[in-house]
Amino acid sequence: MTFTLPELPYAYDALGPYMSKETLEFHHDKHHKAYVDTGNKLLEGTGLEGKSVEEVLVAAYGNNQPLFNNAGQHYNHIHFWQWMKPNGGGAVPGALAKKIDEDLGGFEKFKADFIQAGIGQFGSGWAWLAVKDGKLEIQKTPNGENPLVHGAKPILGVDVWEHSYYIDYRNRRPDYLKAFIENLVNWEHVEQMYAEATK
Ligand code: MN3
């Protein structure tokens, strides 16, 4: 299987005013597409062509940095689009909310720590909510890395590369992260990944 650019699961203007049509056009149509196209070129001749994107990125990590960068970013963006929805944010579904209380000290503390992870990622990268050894953890990674290469399963991630927020927020990364958590997160997709990560 080669990589394919998925359609956005909503209209380009559906996430306004928190994420603009212009940002989504550039981010999805240019940036994500480039990871797919470059990833497919780099896959040729590696013997990994038939593997899933998860298998490719784990196999490439530490062995083939250019392929890892593009496969990692392809995986990250496939989910990033699904981790958002129009009129997102709001209440976390029950089982996951309970787990956030148990492992992360409650929703408000989770929110503050998740935002801080995004602010504290120097340069390009991602902040994550992941499941590791049965527990929820907040992580941050540089560039295209994700929790899959650190023995954990991501259930929520936010892109803190400047291409994700600079059109709408300029240098105000904290404002973008706050809007992401409060107004964009699709908790149903997070809950679905949580269920898959813990079954
Ligand atoms: Mn991006």
Side-chain angles (χ1 to χ4, degrees):
M1 185 181 80
T2 51
F3 300 152
T4 312
L5 182 67
E7 296 283 320
L8 280 185
Y10 31 72
Y12 286 91
D13 61 1
L15 301 183
Y18 307 107
M19 188 173 283
S20 67
K21 179 169 183 272
E22 188 183 4
T23 289
L24 284 170
E25 284 171 348
F26 272 90
H27 199 174
H28 176 274
D29 299 3
K30 309 283 187 199
H31 293 275
H32 191 174
K33 183 172 190 298
Y35 299 131
V36 168
D37 293 346
T38 307
N40 282 332
K41 285 196 191 92
L42 294 168
L43 263 176
E44 283 172 25
T46 60
L48 296 169
E49 292 91 333
K51 304 289 187 187
S52 69
V53 61
E54 292 90 340
E55 290 171 317
V56 171
L57 75 90
V58 169
Y61 185 65
N63 296 308
N64 182 337
Q65 190 65 36
L67 177 59
F68 172 74
N69 289 341
N70 287 278
Q73 284 290 69
H74 179 42
Y75 174 88
N76 297 348
H77 287 81
I78 288 171
H79 291 287
F80 185 58
W81 311 131
Q82 299 181 70
W83 279 320
M84 299 187 287
K85 68 170 188 180
N87 303 307
V92 181
L96 181 57
K98 186 163 174 286
K99 189 72 173 158
I100 288 173
D101 287 347
E102 285 171 10
D103 293 346
L104 300 174
F107 182 75
E108 288 305 316
K109 184 169 189 318
F110 152 72
K111 189 172 109 177
D113 290 347
F114 183 82
I115 288 172
Q116 195 51 50
I119 293 169
Q121 173 52 44
F122 184 76
S124 296
W126 294 73
W128 303 98
L129 176 60
V131 178
K132 186 169 189 182
D133 303 326
K135 286 198 164 240
L136 293 179
E137 246 181 44
I138 292 169
Q139 300 186 353
K140 60 178 193 274
T141 58
N143 303 315
E145 259 183 56
N146 65 45
L148 292 175
V149 298
H150 299 289
K153 291 182 178 168
I155 63 170
L156 175 65
V158 62
D159 189 341
V160 298
W161 287 56
E162 285 187 346
H163 66 223
S164 192
Y165 62 89
Y166 217 82
I167 291 171
D168 300 323
Y169 298 88
R170 297 300 170 184
N171 61 324
R172 293 178 289 114
R173 191 191 284 190
D175 291 354
Y176 156 69
L177 289 163
K178 185 167 181 284
F180 178 84
I181 281 288
E182 293 183 353
N183 303 106
L184 291 174
V185 173
N186 177 356
W187 285 108
E188 288 71 38
H189 188 62
V190 180
E191 187 190 34
Q192 191 186 327
M193 290 190 82
Y194 171 67
E196 281 163 19
T198 52
K199 77 183 173 197

